[in-house]
Amino acid sequence: MPDGSSSRTRVHRHPERQDPDPARVHRILDEALTCTVAWVDEEGRPRALPTIQARIGDTLYLHGSRAARAWKAVAAGAEVCVVATVIDELVLARTSPHHSMNYRSAVVYGRAREVTDETELYEVARAITRHVLPGREDDAVEPRTNDWRETLIVAMPIDEASAKVRTGPPVDDPEDLDADVWAGTLPLRTVAGTPAPAPDLKPGVAAPPYLEEFRRP
């Protein structure tokens, strides 16, 4: 696995929070439900789009619309920056400037290629479905040929990337420690609600067990 080291991936603000383990980048990309893809277009304008991702080995796959002009630039090889973040806790300090969040974030730089091989396309389609909801890839009808006329899948290597992680309590200035203000952390987690069937669901189709077992990685 490439170590991802480069001048762009080096953390300058709080460098102690950079995780040197490349496997951490993989875990964050796997856990974050979505990511943001950013680049500068051919006219020099900044672009950023949220999307769904999936990782297979050292390759990150991104899901886009073939009709969107912006995604065409990515597929054509524009240099992109992909960011995925998981928020674990709110960090509540005594003073507002020291409020923060405990988080895990991954940044990946590179150029993407359009996926055109049919076998790879269907493997990625299953991976993206599994990323959103494990088990769903075995139930959902796979994409038909016409679907690929609307859906664009691009792939980029995870070979220039870094992870940044914050953990722990708030850090207040010594002169504020005696303030009568509660300080600490508030853990956050994703919790699934009750599944709501589609209004046109075929009678007799039961909710699959993996809906009740849903947990983010």
Side-chain angles (χ1 to χ4, degrees), residues 9-217:
T9 60
R10 189 172 301 112
V11 174
H12 298 281
R13 175 68 174 164
H14 288 295
E16 74 280 2
R17 295 178 184 171
Q18 181 164 6
D19 191 328
D21 184 2
R24 173 71 75 140
V25 173
H26 285 190
R27 291 195 295 270
I28 294 170
L29 292 172
D30 292 344
E31 183 171 351
L33 191 56
T34 63
C35 66
T36 299
V37 185
W39 70 98
V40 177
D41 68 16
E42 64 277 4
E43 298 178 10
R45 297 175 299 186
R47 298 276 190 174
L49 290 174
T51 191
I52 303 171
Q53 78 278 6
R55 181 187 62 84
I56 301 178
D58 291 332
T59 302
L60 180 64
Y61 292 92
L62 305 169
H63 176 280
S65 170
R66 190 171 295 280
R69 178 183 174 187
W71 277 110
K72 293 179 182 178
V74 176
E79 190 171 28
V80 300
C81 175
V82 179
V83 179
T85 304
V86 180
I87 303 299
D88 294 313
E89 294 181 309
L90 301 182
V91 179
L92 310 175
R94 294 165 181 81
T95 61
S96 58
H98 289 297
H99 279 65
S100 186
M101 295 182 184
N102 284 334
Y103 61 87
R104 290 163 286 143
S105 66
V107 177
V108 185
Y109 293 98
R111 298 181 187 273
R113 61 173 174 86
E114 180 180 353
V115 178
T116 57
D117 178 77
E118 184 174 320
T119 300
E120 187 178 13
L121 280 171
Y122 281 94
E123 181 183 10
V124 174
R126 287 180 58 84
I128 289 176
T129 304
R130 183 171 58 250
H131 172 81
V132 175
L133 181 59
R136 187 65 173 176
E137 73 277 12
D138 294 325
D139 282 0
V141 177
E142 293 192 341
R144 300 178 174 88
T145 301
N146 287 342
D147 293 321
W148 297 121
R149 297 175 183 173
E150 301 176 357
T151 302
L152 178 70
I153 301 294
V154 299
M156 63 182 294
I158 311 173
D159 56 12
E160 186 181 2
S162 66
K164 187 177 181 181
V165 178
R166 189 201 190 281
T167 61
V171 181
D172 279 298
D173 294 327
E175 61 268 25
D176 295 320
L177 296 181
D178 288 334
D180 294 327
V181 178
W182 189 90
T185 59
L186 180 63
L188 302 177
R189 61 191 178 98
T190 299
V191 179
T194 302
D200 54 359
L201 183 68
K202 181 180 177 180
V205 177
Y210 55 74
L211 291 181
E212 297 180 2
E213 301 166 357
F214 173 81
R215 300 287 187 278
R216 290 309 299 161

